[in-house]
């Protein structure tokens, strides 16, 4: 039988499971639910029950195998990686899980299934991992930074194997990581932004461009901006809701959350006159569209600002995909949509705003992140 309980750690619920393994050893494992304690007790309890059920089923499968049941020495490396991925599913954000999933199931496991199909976890050597990185760098042409990201996933998974006594040491600790490539970001100066604002006027991308370039909002914050975040009397904008998009199991999923990327990302910014004018115009447009469309108007996203003519919320990926098309159409220098956030940072800095103030404006959790932007852009 698997016993379990919830505990609080730094304001987040954690699941703690206690059981006896096939060798008669008492085991205790824990993992984060990712749920804040306030208002999430029932959801956390449901996750605890599901975790207990899954662990009991796993132990039953081993018991049914009798003496021939697979022990730690029989676990394939690829099977372990898939199991670790499944374990992580309920302890990290869906967008993070999507990244983990792609890394493990689309990159790491296919390589080892082809090159080392019978490689067991306990047989994994540093050279196996090093050869994988060389393959990605030299044969697939993957960037060093992406390979470093894959290394982080492998190392984290193997560290879990060490903690659960599946292996004695972590072979990922004894490899040579690729050298991290310097970040090369782009940004527009004031003149280029003026041209861009004229180019996107009336285009569906207009709101996103203004929010990213002037307010420095992330894509998730742009799409997640709601009317109840705008205080026309106090002239403020509250950044507190996000909408993200990720691919999970080959299916695109959109997630809405009443929280930002980090605690520091929750911030209040001034509502400047030109943007207030744009918002008033959008309010009038939405009211008119509701009257014209009648019952066919989508009411699911009635509280969101960034919607199309029939009330459908703009998808995050639409912004990323449509933005370069607009730049190409108007002959503008190609940058990423996220680089508009860097443009905001560089203009603030050029106008004498301090790093600490810009950190708060952009919602960075650490001032070193803000400082690094200026270093990468060659401003300091």
């Amino acid at each position: 039988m698997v016993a379990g309980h919830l505990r609080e750690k730094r304001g987040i619920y954690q699941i703690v499971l206690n059981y006896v393994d096939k060798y008669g050893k008492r085991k205790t494992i824990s993992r984060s639910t990712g749920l804040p304690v306030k208002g999430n007790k029932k959801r956390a309890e449901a996750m605890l029950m599901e975790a207990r059920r899954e662990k009991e089923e796993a132990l039953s499968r081993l018991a049914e195998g009798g003496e021939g049941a697979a022990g730690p020495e029989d676990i394939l490396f690829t099977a372990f990686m898939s199991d670790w991925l499944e374990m992580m599913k309920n302890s990290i954000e869906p967008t993070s899980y999507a990244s983990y999933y792609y890394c493990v199931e689309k990159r790491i496991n296919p390589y080892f299934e082809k090159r080392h199909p019978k490689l067991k976890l306990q047989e994994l050597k540093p050279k196996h991992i090093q050869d994988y990185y060389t393959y990605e760098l030299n044969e697939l042409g993957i960037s060093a930074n992406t390979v470093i990201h894959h290394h982080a996933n492998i190392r984290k998974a193997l560290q879990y194997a060490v903690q659960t006594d599946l292996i004695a040491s972590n072979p990922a600790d004894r490899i040579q990581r690729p050298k991290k490539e310097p970040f090369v970001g782009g940004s527009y100066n004031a003149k280029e932004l003026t041209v861009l604002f004229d180019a996107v006027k009336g285009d569906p991308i207009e709101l996103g461009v203004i929010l990213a370039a002037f307010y420095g909002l992330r894509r998730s914050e742009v799409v997640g901006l709601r009317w109840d975040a705008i205080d026309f009397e106090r002239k403020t904008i509250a950044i507190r809701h996000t909408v993200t998009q990720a691919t999970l199991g080959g299916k695109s999923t959109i997630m809405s959350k009443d929280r930002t990327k980090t605690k520091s990302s929750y911030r209040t910014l001034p509502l400047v006159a030109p943007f207030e004018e744009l918002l008033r115009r959008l309010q009038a447009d939405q009211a008119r569209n509701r009257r014209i469309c009648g019952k066919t108007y989508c009411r699911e996203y009635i509280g969101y600002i960034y919607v199309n003519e029939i009330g459908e919320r703009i998808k995050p990926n639409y912004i990323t995909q449509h933005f370069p098309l607009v730049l190409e159409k108007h002959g503008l220098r190609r940058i990423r949509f996220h680089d508009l956030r860097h443009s905001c940072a560089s203009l603030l800095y050029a106008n004498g705003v301090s790093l600490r103030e810009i950190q708060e404006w952009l919602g960075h959790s650490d001032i070193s992140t803000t400082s690094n932007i200026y270093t990468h852009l060659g401003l300091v």
Side-chain angles (χ1 to χ4, degrees), residues 5 18 33 35 54 78 86 111 165 189 229 231 250 257 285 300 304 308 324-325 342 369 379:
H5 65 276
N18 299 284
T33 64
L35 299 174
E54 290 176 353
T78 51
E86 186 63 24
Y111 168 85
D165 297 325
N189 57 36
D231 190 327
K257 303 172 189 174
D285 289 345
E300 183 178 354
Y304 287 88
N308 62 18
L325 299 178
H342 298 322
T369 303
L379 297 174

Side-chain angles (χ1 to χ4, degrees), residues 148-175:
I148 290 172
H149 174 68
H150 293 181
H151 168 71
N153 280 272
I154 291 175
R155 186 185 180 283
K156 186 173 183 178
L158 293 176
Q159 195 60 36
Y160 173 75
V162 173
Q163 293 169 353
T164 53
D165 297 325
L166 293 176
I167 55 177
S169 62
N170 190 336
D173 287 338
R174 303 193 301 276
I175 62 95

Side-chain angles (χ1 to χ4, degrees), residues 194-291:
T194 299
V195 175
L196 175 62
F197 291 152
D198 288 338
V200 299
K201 197 150 192 161
D203 189 281
I205 201 75
E206 180 183 9
L207 179 62
V209 166
I210 292 175
L211 287 171
F214 182 81
Y215 282 104
L217 267 57
R218 301 174 178 91
R219 187 184 70 166
S220 60
E221 296 167 345
V222 167
V223 181
L225 194 61
R226 297 172 58 91
W227 287 111
D228 59 14
I230 309 299
D231 190 327
F232 287 108
E233 291 185 8
R234 291 186 175 88
K235 307 295 182 186
T236 59
I237 305 172
I239 310 304
R240 61 193 182 198
H241 186 83
T242 58
V243 175
T244 55
Q245 187 168 0
T247 300
L248 298 171
K251 183 180 179 181
S252 181
T253 304
I254 296 179
M255 294 145 285
S256 307
K257 303 172 189 174
D258 283 324
R259 64 179 187 271
T260 51
K261 183 178 180 181
T262 64
K263 185 177 179 180
S264 301
S265 298
Y266 188 104
R267 59 203 188 277
T268 300
L269 302 173
L271 178 62
V272 298
F275 186 61
E276 179 178 356
E277 182 181 339
L278 173 61
L279 288 177
R280 298 285 190 184
R281 174 161 59 85
L282 291 175
Q283 268 190 332
D285 289 345
Q286 289 183 18
R288 183 178 64 255
N289 290 335
R290 286 196 295 272
R291 289 194 304 270

Side-chain angles (χ1 to χ4, degrees), residues 55-242:
K55 177 55 69 175
E56 286 178 346
E57 288 179 354
L59 292 173
S60 295
R61 286 195 295 270
L62 286 175
E64 289 171 1
E67 292 184 1
E73 67 279 0
D74 299 313
I75 301 174
L76 293 178
F77 171 62
T78 51
F80 165 76
M81 290 299 296
S82 293
D83 288 345
W84 172 78
L85 180 67
E86 186 63 24
M87 182 201 71
M88 294 295 292
K89 190 172 185 178
N90 294 323
S91 62
I92 56 177
E93 293 286 343
T95 48
S96 297
Y97 176 75
S99 176
Y100 280 33
Y101 180 89
Y102 179 82
C103 179
V104 172
E105 299 295 359
K106 301 299 182 182
R107 292 295 187 186
I108 298 170
N109 278 0
Y111 168 85
F112 282 94
E113 286 167 355
K114 182 178 180 180
R115 300 293 180 97
H116 308 286
K118 296 182 180 180
L119 180 66
K120 293 181 173 60
L121 173 63
Q122 292 190 353
E123 297 171 342
L124 183 69
K125 303 297 181 185
K127 189 175 188 309
H128 290 123
I129 303 173
Q130 197 78 63
D131 287 347
Y132 166 62
Y133 297 159
T134 301
Y135 167 78
E136 289 212 313
L137 289 166
N138 297 342
E139 296 192 35
L140 297 185
I142 292 176
S143 71
N145 289 351
T146 299
V147 174
I148 290 172
H149 174 68
H150 293 181
H151 168 71
N153 280 272
I154 291 175
R155 186 185 180 283
K156 186 173 183 178
L158 293 176
Q159 195 60 36
Y160 173 75
V162 173
Q163 293 169 353
T164 53
D165 297 325
L166 293 176
I167 55 177
S169 62
N170 190 336
D173 287 338
R174 303 193 301 276
I175 62 95
Q176 185 68 40
R177 278 192 349 163
K179 185 177 180 181
K180 187 174 182 179
E181 297 169 346
F183 167 79
V184 180
S187 65
Y188 273 5
N189 57 36
K191 184 177 179 180
E192 288 174 308
L193 284 177
T194 299
V195 175
L196 175 62
F197 291 152
D198 288 338
V200 299
K201 197 150 192 161
D203 189 281
I205 201 75
E206 180 183 9
L207 179 62
V209 166
I210 292 175
L211 287 171
F214 182 81
Y215 282 104
L217 267 57
R218 301 174 178 91
R219 187 184 70 166
S220 60
E221 296 167 345
V222 167
V223 181
L225 194 61
R226 297 172 58 91
W227 287 111
D228 59 14
I230 309 299
D231 190 327
F232 287 108
E233 291 185 8
R234 291 186 175 88
K235 307 295 182 186
T236 59
I237 305 172
I239 310 304
R240 61 193 182 198
H241 186 83
T242 58

